[in-house]
């Protein structure tokens, strides 16, 4: 009995932590169903009114589309250039390698507020106005470190004799890359792309500085909306975003297996 | 014959040299896109902001042309701003300590579970990472506001007479920050827990040690590198984080990142905002260096044992 007691206590502590983790998410989902004009939890009554009300706020839909475009663009470019750079870093010896690795990893250490401020100043000097391209360029800096970490991890321990064999059999370097190398490091590359997509889709800090009145990403839209209003519209938008992420994860799980994606992270 | 071998040899050497040159070119071609974007859209902007942080500023005319150290001096000689630095560090420290305390049992539970349960628990722990930070913080606003869930529950239970001020306090910022950074700590501790040979724990138990003793003399020392590594990550992310303090603290609980934002976006004082930003980078860098020194020492300690 006395041996059991710590175990029950331990499990109880873990349970409390899991509740803590899920609480804010559950609260957002459920409060979007309230019939009241203000946000309340537990919701009073059940209605989908706040979802239909979204139709009268097309700006949320516009922001959602913009966020998707930016996140998609970021994921594709960051993964492509990050994979190429990873190949150079893992397989080639050259001067200044450490410096380059440190440079590419440093956005993780630089507070993104400072980067956002710096980028805004730079953009206004070179005359690059708020646009999906301007946002994508900023997000590439934030996400390439993740991509490279994941791709480098999947390149270490790669058996190069397979590539050598293909080359000896007369395949061109391009063919070797797309038919041999890429399929083998696939899980690292895809995990990198997913990370890049999510990071870009979620970014508030850098986007907050770059956006203009008609180019506003969804996190910025939600942030500015809730500074002035406190109605359940915001919870319905948030719930749609949560459901979108869940669906995305389910698709990835079906195609790849979540375990694989996360295991390649270590 | 011999001459023939010689030329063949020379040819081979030439070929090799060509290959090396070609490889060198390839290497830079592979690096070029990433390097180009990083130089133009990361290094240059930061460099220009650094220069701006040494410029004078006037509220009516904007950024001046004179060079000055005034922005840095102003920040470091004003008790209000030093208070903000202290608050930033305090919040990060509290966040790190609480995160360690609640991550450890969860990491332990996951590392001991197997199969399906393990997958689900890992997914549960990582799932907040995938949900927008803005939304998660917003969930905490609903939970912690004056007529929010926490206050309502406490009022109904009769534990308090009037709502507690929870939102827009240092407490709410710490809670939000722990929630956001928790997964990083769990992953880090799990990594070092999994390296421990289970027979070590069994041996300790067979020799009659209580689970308490096993934890403090075996498990904890062996996982310290993981705890430290997680702490570096959580501390530096929390010192520089903006979203959580902006939503859950706002102007009432100003931290350095919020101050930077405010100076630039509201006051339009670029030089001062830049100076605060670079001091923030300095604090984050110092902690990372200090931590990694401790980390290196603790790893040595473990190796000796």
């Amino acid at each position: 009995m006395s041996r059991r007691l710590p175990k029950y206590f331990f499990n109880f502590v873990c349970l409390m932590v899991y509740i803590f983790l899920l609480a804010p998410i559950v609260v957002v989902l459920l409060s979007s169903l309230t019939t009241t004009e203000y946000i309340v939890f537990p919701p009073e009554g059940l209605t989908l009114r706040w979802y239909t009300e979204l139709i009268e706020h097309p700006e949320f839909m516009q922001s959602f589309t913009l966020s998707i475009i930016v996140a998609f663009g970021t994921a594709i470019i960051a993964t492509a250039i990050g994979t190429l750079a990873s190949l150079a870093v893992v397989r080639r010896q050259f001067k200044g390698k450490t410096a380059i690795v440190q440079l590419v990893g440093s956005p993780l250490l630089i507070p993104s507020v400072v980067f956002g401020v710096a980028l805004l100043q730079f953009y206004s000097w070179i005359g690059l106005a708020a646009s999906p391209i301007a946002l994508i360029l900023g997000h590439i800096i934030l996400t390439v470190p993740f991509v490279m970490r994941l791709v480098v991890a999947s390149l270490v321990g790669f058996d190069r004799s397979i590539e050598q064999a293909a080359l000896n059999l007369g395949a061109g370097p391009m063919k070797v890359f797309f038919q041999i190398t890429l399929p083998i490091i696939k899980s690292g590359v895809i995990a990198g792309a997913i990370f890049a997509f999510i990071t870009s889709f979620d970014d508030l800090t850098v986007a907050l500085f770059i956006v203009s009145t008609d180019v506003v990403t969804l996190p910025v839209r939600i942030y500015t909306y809730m500074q002035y209003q406190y109605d359940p519209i915001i919870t319905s938008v948030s719930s749609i975003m949560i459901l979108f992420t869940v669906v995305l994860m389910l698709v990835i799980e079906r195609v790849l297996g979540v375990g694989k994606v996360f295991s390649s992270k270590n | 014959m011999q001459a023939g071998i010689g030329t063949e040899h020379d040819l081979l050497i030439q070929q090799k040299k060509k290959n090396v040159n070609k490889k060198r070119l390839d290497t830079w071609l592979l690096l070029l896109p990433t390097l180009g974007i990083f130089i133009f859209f990361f290094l240059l902007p930061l460099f220009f902001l650094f220069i701006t942080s040494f410029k004078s500023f006037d509220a009516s005319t904007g950024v001046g042309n004179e060079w000055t150290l005034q922005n840095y001096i102003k920040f470091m000689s004003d008790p209000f701003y030093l208070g903000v630095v202290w608050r930033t560090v305090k919040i990060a420290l509290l966040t790190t300590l609480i995160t360690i305390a609640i991550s450890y049992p969860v990491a332990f539970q996951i590392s001991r579970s197997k199969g399906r349960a393990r997958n689900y628990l890992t997914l549960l722990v990582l799932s907040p990472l995938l949900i927008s930070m803005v939304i998660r913080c917003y969930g905490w606003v609903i939970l912690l506001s004056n007529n929010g869930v926490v206050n309502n529950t406490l009022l109904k239970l009769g534990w308090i007479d009037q709502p507690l001020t929870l939102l827009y306090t240092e407490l709410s910022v710490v809670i939000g920050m722990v929630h956001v950074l928790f997964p990083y700590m769990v992953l880090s501790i799990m990594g070092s827990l999994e390296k421990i040979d289970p027979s070590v724990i069994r041996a300790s138990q067979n020799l009659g040690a209580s689970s308490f003793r096993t934890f403090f003399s075996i498990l904890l020392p062996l996982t310290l590198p993981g705890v430290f590594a997680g702490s570096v990550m959580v501390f530096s992310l929390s010192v520089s984080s903006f979203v959580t303090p902006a939503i859950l603290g706002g102007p009432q609980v100003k931290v350095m990142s919020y101050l930077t934002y405010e100076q630039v976006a509201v006051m339009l004082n670029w030089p001062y905002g830049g100076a605060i930003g670079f001091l923030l980078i300095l604090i984050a860098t110092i902690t990372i260096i200090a931590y990694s020194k401790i980390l290196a020492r603790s790893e040595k300690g473990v190796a000796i044992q």
Side-chain angles (χ1 to χ4, degrees):
Chain A
M1 188 59 196
S2 62
R3 273 199 158 243
R4 275 279 166 91
L5 204 60
K7 203 184 166 189
Y8 284 130
F9 177 71
F10 176 78
N11 285 339
F12 176 74
V13 170
C14 288
L15 184 69
M16 294 306 283
V17 178
Y18 296 135
I19 291 174
F20 166 79
L21 278 187
L22 292 179
I25 301 161
V26 172
V27 162
V28 168
L29 284 173
L30 291 181
S31 347
S32 70
L33 302 172
T34 189
T35 49
T36 51
E37 294 289 321
Y38 47 91
I39 296 171
V40 63
F41 187 89
E44 286 167 23
L46 287 178
T47 174
L48 288 176
R49 176 190 152 196
W50 296 107
Y51 289 86
T52 53
E53 202 119 318
L54 268 179
I55 297 163
E56 277 154 49
H57 289 268
E59 72 269 20
F60 281 112
M61 198 54 215
Q62 283 164 12
S63 292
F64 184 74
T65 319
L66 175 71
S67 280
I68 296 273
I69 292 171
V70 169
F72 209 72
T74 304
I76 288 177
I77 301 174
T79 312
I81 69 174
T83 305
L84 294 182
S86 308
L87 280 170
V89 164
V90 173
R91 298 187 164 178
R92 302 286 165 82
Q93 290 306 323
F94 54 91
K95 263 187 199 164
K97 187 157 142 178
T98 358
I100 289 174
V101 171
Q102 272 169 355
L103 168 67
V104 176
S106 56
L108 297 175
L109 308 176
I110 301 290
S112 39
V113 172
V114 187
F115 174 55
V117 171
L119 203 57
L120 174 60
Q121 189 189 32
F122 186 68
Y123 279 172
S124 63
W125 281 1
I126 62 170
L128 188 59
S131 62
I133 299 293
L135 284 161
I136 288 172
L137 282 167
H139 286 174
I140 286 174
I141 304 288
L142 295 184
T143 54
V144 163
F146 288 111
V147 172
M148 278 192 67
R149 214 177 251 196
L150 292 164
V151 176
V152 164
S154 64
L155 273 170
V156 172
F158 187 105
D159 183 4
R160 295 199 65 186
S161 58
I162 316 168
E163 287 176 350
Q164 224 55 68
L167 280 172
N168 287 346
L169 290 169
M174 278 292 176
K175 201 171 181 188
V176 172
F177 176 74
F178 282 107
Q179 299 204 339
I180 313 262
T181 319
L182 201 55
I184 294 179
I185 60 170
K186 191 179 79 183
S187 68
V189 174
I190 292 174
I194 294 168
F195 252 79
F197 185 93
I198 291 171
T199 308
S200 163
F201 194 71
D202 187 28
D203 168 64
L204 171 68
T205 322
V206 172
L208 197 57
F209 291 99
I210 300 176
V211 295
S212 66
T213 38
D214 44 314
V215 182
V216 184
T217 60
L218 195 52
V220 179
R221 180 79 72 192
I222 293 176
Y223 177 71
T224 41
Y225 187 88
M226 63 190 224
Q227 282 185 320
Y228 302 104
Q229 259 143 314
Y230 194 68
D231 63 43
I233 280 216
I234 216 71
T235 51
S236 63
V237 174
S238 304
S239 303
I240 291 175
M241 252 177 109
I242 295 174
L243 294 177
F244 173 76
T245 321
V246 171
V247 170
L248 193 72
M249 284 319 287
L250 285 177
V251 171
I252 293 165
E253 160 73 27
R254 268 291 149 86
V255 180
L256 284 169
V258 172
K260 264 188 206 160
V261 171
F262 284 115
S263 71
S264 60
K265 225 178 77 177
N266 298 321
Chain B
M1 273 290 263
Q2 271 193 331
I5 289 172
T7 37
E8 231 168 77
H9 188 70
D10 285 346
L11 269 177
L12 262 176
I13 286 176
Q14 269 180 1
Q15 190 70 33
K16 261 196 178 162
K17 266 190 187 158
K18 244 189 208 166
N19 277 347
V20 167
N21 281 336
K22 209 180 143 207
K23 265 205 160 172
R24 206 168 280 161
L25 185 70
D26 278 3
T27 308
W28 291 105
L29 278 180
L30 288 173
L31 286 169
L32 190 68
T34 302
L35 220 50
I37 290 186
F38 267 73
I39 288 169
F40 276 103
F41 295 96
F42 182 68
L43 276 189
L44 268 186
L46 282 173
F47 175 67
F48 285 135
L49 185 67
F50 190 61
I51 288 178
T52 306
S53 76
F54 292 103
K55 293 280 175 152
S56 57
F57 177 78
D58 186 275
S60 51
T61 54
V63 181
N65 273 326
E66 285 156 52
W67 295 94
T68 174
L69 279 171
Q70 197 47 43
N71 300 309
Y72 290 91
I73 295 169
K74 182 176 155 195
F75 189 89
M76 285 186 288
S77 57
D78 188 326
F80 170 77
Y81 291 117
L82 289 178
V84 174
V85 175
W86 168 232
R87 184 185 297 130
T88 310
V89 173
K90 187 170 71 178
I91 289 176
L93 271 176
L94 271 175
T95 304
T96 312
L97 290 175
I98 297 174
T99 312
I100 295 173
I102 71 166
S103 302
Y104 210 103
V106 172
F108 187 69
Q109 192 180 48
I110 295 178
S111 70
R112 289 186 79 179
S113 58
K114 285 183 187 75
R116 271 248 169 110
R118 187 196 173 88
N119 284 345
Y120 284 131
L121 287 179
T122 315
L123 204 60
L124 182 69
V125 167
L126 296 179
S127 60
L129 266 188
L130 306 171
I131 286 166
S132 165
M133 225 194 283
V134 181
I135 294 175
R136 284 191 278 158
C137 289
Y138 203 40
W140 283 112
V141 172
I142 300 174
L143 282 161
L144 299 174
S145 62
N146 276 350
N147 49 10
V149 184
V150 174
N151 268 317
N152 280 344
T153 315
L154 291 177
L155 282 170
K156 266 184 203 152
L157 288 170
W159 289 7
I160 51 172
D161 301 326
Q162 46 185 348
L164 303 169
T165 316
L166 298 170
L167 198 58
Y168 310 125
T169 62
E170 287 178 15
L171 177 73
S172 60
V173 177
V174 170
I175 291 177
M177 211 89 99
V178 169
H179 190 255
V180 169
L181 300 175
F182 174 82
Y184 296 97
M185 185 69 85
V186 172
L187 284 178
S188 179
I189 297 180
M190 260 171 72
S192 59
L193 272 173
E194 266 154 24
K195 279 185 203 142
I196 298 177
D197 187 349
S199 60
V200 178
I201 296 163
R202 250 177 286 138
S204 147
Q205 281 165 348
N206 286 346
L207 291 168
S210 64
S211 20
F212 195 72
R213 180 91 198 264
T214 307
F215 175 76
F216 280 101
S217 354
I218 312 271
L219 227 47
L220 194 59
L222 284 176
T223 49
L224 269 187
V227 174
F228 273 130
S231 306
V232 184
M233 218 181 317
V234 170
F235 188 92
S236 59
L237 284 174
S238 122
V239 162
S240 51
S241 82
F242 171 75
V243 179
T244 315
I247 295 177
L248 294 171
Q252 283 98 319
V253 190
K254 279 189 186 130
V255 292
M256 284 182 80
S257 64
Y258 192 83
L259 219 54
T260 311
Y261 164 76
E262 198 181 47
Q263 286 299 326
V264 170
V266 185
M267 311 289 189
L268 302 176
N269 190 342
W270 285 82
Y272 198 41
I276 301 171
F278 280 100
L279 288 171
L280 181 56
I281 293 180
L282 192 70
I283 293 180
T285 316
I286 288 174
T287 45
I288 288 169
I289 293 171
Y291 260 124
S292 48
K293 287 242 163 91
I294 300 172
L295 188 67
R297 200 175 291 168
S298 79
E299 266 173 352
K300 253 185 222 159
V302 169
I304 288 164
Q305 279 171 358

